[in-house]
Amino acid sequence: MKQHFQQIDILKGLAIIAVLLLHSLSREQLVGSYAVFHIWQAVPVFMVLMGLNLGMSYGSKTLHFDQLYTPHYFQKKALRIIFPLLLIYIIALVAGYVSEQVYAREVYTLGWKNLIGVLPVSGKGNYFITLLLQSLIVLPLIGYTFHRWPIRTSIVLVLLEIIFQLTAYHINYFEEDRSLYDAALFRYFSAIALGLWLSLLITNPFQKKNSLLLLLAGIASGIYLYFHQYQDISLPYIRPEWQSQLFLTFPYATLLIYLVILAFPQQSDHVVLRLMANIGKASYHVFLVQVLYFGLVRDDSDIILNLAICLLAGQLFFLLDSYLSKKISH
């Protein structure tokens, strides 16, 4: 049976708060606060956690291929991922109409990309929804192959990411519209692979050799991040937009996750840890709300207001979705 680690919920809570800060602070503030080592790690942390949860879900099972894409799997994912997304679509349509009537300002982002996760009123970070939708199809296959051939699967994932990056560099379409590049799950294949290996490490804590390897890889990754961000070191033949989030940097995010898991207990009733874990459980809903929020507001410079509205509204949205999902499932 899959173990529950409260640290994972805490990490999700910290990561979604980092997302809100990332979308509220100016680039100058982020660079000046060395955010590349903390706030800017929010999405890599989420992607490594995606692999970690996948590994923990599949690690104790012996699955056959025909057990991957079952009606039960799609029903579960529809309730967890698709249903709240449809709810926020409806809310965005209504909120966009009200906003246009009140402020006489066009806010709708309607088009074919609404079919792949772009909200009708789209704000910062919307690409992550499209990433998540791709993961519904790809992750079961990755988990299945890793469970049988972990090394070969990891090598293939890393190579596919590198091949995609090298190919994307030569695709002119990304110069005009980089949204599909931003939302390509290929960019995070090595992060998912690292999360899968981390699931083995935390469920078998006496692997000292692997712990040391992760430490060294994380330190090397952090050194690259420093030179890339503050010494203008860039890689050839890879698009410049996301060179702080690729196969060379994800070991740093993985090390952060591992250190948090070691630092905090697996379960705790401490009020702060429980609060952060509750935020983490609602992190997907908070994220959906913040995409809509940043698509609506004209002035997003008030950090405290952004945090308060998005966290509170996200929690309320989570409760609403939980109530409706239970009604539907029954």
Side-chain angles (χ1 to χ4, degrees), residues 69 88 108 113 123 128 136 181 215 225 239-240 258 286 296 303 319:
Y69 300 102
I88 205 73
Y108 282 128
K113 290 180 184 176
F128 191 82
L136 301 183
Y181 172 75
L215 176 63
L225 282 168
R239 298 191 63 80
Y258 186 52
V286 174
L296 287 172
I303 300 172
L319 294 175

Side-chain angles (χ1 to χ4, degrees), residues 81-82 85-86 88-89 109 111-123 125-134 180 183 284 287-288 291:
I81 305 297
I82 306 298
L85 181 58
L86 293 177
I88 205 73
Y89 265 61
T109 51
W112 68 269
K113 290 180 184 176
N114 296 133
L115 300 175
I116 59 171
V118 175
L119 296 189
V121 179
S122 176
N126 200 148
Y127 73 91
F128 191 82
I129 300 175
T130 307
L131 277 175
L132 195 57
L133 294 177
Q134 295 167 72
L180 293 182
Y284 175 53
F287 178 77
L288 292 176
V291 174

Side-chain angles (χ1 to χ4, degrees), residues 18 24 36 63 72 99 170 198 201 208 221 274 279 291 296 303:
S24 301
V36 72
L63 289 177
H72 174 71
S99 179
H170 298 285
L198 185 59
L201 184 58
K208 293 183 179 180
S221 183
R274 288 181 61 188
I279 293 174
V291 174
L296 287 172
I303 300 172

Side-chain angles (χ1 to χ4, degrees), residues 161-217:
E161 179 181 328
I162 294 173
I163 291 169
F164 172 77
Q165 292 283 16
L166 295 174
T167 303
Y169 181 79
H170 298 285
I171 297 178
N172 293 329
Y173 176 79
F174 293 145
E175 295 289 343
E176 304 170 7
D177 182 0
R178 47 174 270 200
S179 61
L180 293 182
Y181 172 75
D182 294 348
L185 187 63
F186 285 104
R187 295 197 301 110
Y188 292 99
F189 271 4
S190 62
I192 295 171
L194 285 166
L196 287 164
W197 282 104
L198 185 59
S199 70
L200 299 179
L201 184 58
I202 68 172
T203 53
N204 299 280
F206 300 107
Q207 300 182 24
K208 293 183 179 180
K209 182 187 298 184
N210 290 337
S211 298
L212 179 60
L213 183 62
L214 175 58
L215 176 63
L216 294 175

